[in-house]
Amino acid sequence: MKNILVPIGTSPESYKTLQYAVDFAKNFDATIYVMEIFNVISAGAGSLANATEKIEKNNREQLLEIVNKVDKKGIEIKIVTYQGTIIEGLKKIDKQYLGIDLIIMAPRSNDINEGTYLGNTSGKIIKRTDIPTLIVPKEYQFKPVTSILTAFKSGVLKRKRILNPLITIKKKFNSNVSLLLVKTPGYTDDDLGVNSALLDISSKMTITENVTTYLGVLEHFRTKEPDMLCVFRRKRGFFKKLWEKNTISKSEFYAPVPVLVLSVKKD
C-alpha cells in the first residue's frame, strides 16, 4: 500500500480527513496524493485558457493551505489537480502514478445536509470506480485497527487479490477479522460457500438472516464493536439498493467507524 489518494474539497474542515490519511499512511510509509477536481465554463477559447490557469492556481493555493494544517509526520504529500469529472480525474491519476492502492475520503464534501452520509462526489467515487476506498467519518481520529467486521451476502470471490487491502491492514495492525454472512431473500446455496482466503484471515464467522446486508450489520454491530467495517462493492453486494443514486442519506446507511469498500469488478 504505497499510493493513497485523498480527494478533498476546499472546505476549511477538509484537513481533518487529510490528517487521518497521514496517520494511516505513516504505518505503511505511503505517499499521499491530495486531489482537487474543477471545471471551467467559458464563452471563448482564449478566455477559457486564462480561466483554467487562474482556477487551477487558486485551487492549488487553497489545497496547500489545507496541507499546511496537518502534521505530516514525514509523509510525502503531493498536490494534483484535474480539469474534468471526478471519475476521469481518478482514472488519469491512477494511471499517471502507476496505481492508486487506496482512496481515503470523507463521506461527504460539505455540511449542507446533515442527514446525508454520502454526498454527490463521494457517492460517485463509490459507485463508479474499482479502486478500494476507505470512508472515514468526519471528526474521526486515527487509531490502530484492532477489529474488523467483514459483512457480505455472498462469500464467492473470483480473485483473492480483491482482499489485498484487508489483508494488508490486518497484518499491519494484527487485527481480528470476523465475518458476517447475511442471508437475504433469494439467496442461493452457492452464496453460502465462503472463499477460503476469507476464512484464512478470519477468527470467526456468523451467519444471520435479514432483509438486507446493512440491516444484518446493524443487528450485530453493537455486539462486535469493530474499529472498521469492511464491505464489497459489487452488483449484488452491500450497496445494491443504494446504487441507483449518488447521494445516500443517513437513514439508509450510516457507520460511526471507517468503512473499507473492496472492489469486485464482476459478479
Side-chain angles (χ1 to χ4, degrees), residues 22-41:
V22 167
D23 295 343
F24 182 91
K26 179 68 175 178
N27 292 276
F28 303 94
D29 194 26
T31 298
I32 289 180
Y33 298 88
V34 177
M35 182 182 73
E36 168 66 5
I37 300 296
F38 67 95
N39 283 290
V40 179
I41 300 176

Side-chain angles (χ1 to χ4, degrees), residues 53 69 189:
E53 184 178 348
K69 288 184 179 180
D189 290 339

Side-chain angles (χ1 to χ4, degrees), residues 48-93:
L48 176 61
N50 292 334
T52 299
E53 184 178 348
K54 290 179 180 179
I55 292 176
E56 183 173 7
K57 180 181 178 181
N58 182 62
N59 283 359
R60 290 184 70 88
E61 290 175 351
Q62 289 180 312
L63 288 179
L64 187 58
E65 289 181 7
I66 292 172
V67 170
N68 288 336
K69 288 184 179 180
V70 306
D71 179 0
K72 301 179 184 62
K73 300 183 177 179
I75 293 297
E76 184 178 12
I77 300 177
K78 297 182 178 181
I79 295 177
V80 291
T81 58
Y82 180 79
Q83 181 185 354
T85 69
I86 180 70
I87 303 305
E88 290 172 347
L90 284 171
K91 290 180 179 179
K92 182 174 181 179
I93 292 168

Side-chain angles (χ1 to χ4, degrees), residues 231-247:
V231 298
F232 295 93
R233 177 201 288 118
R234 55 181 169 184
K235 292 180 181 179
R236 300 172 59 235
F238 190 78
F239 289 102
K240 176 184 176 182
K241 296 296 183 181
L242 308 176
W243 277 37
E244 296 177 358
K245 54 188 177 180
N246 292 327
T247 58

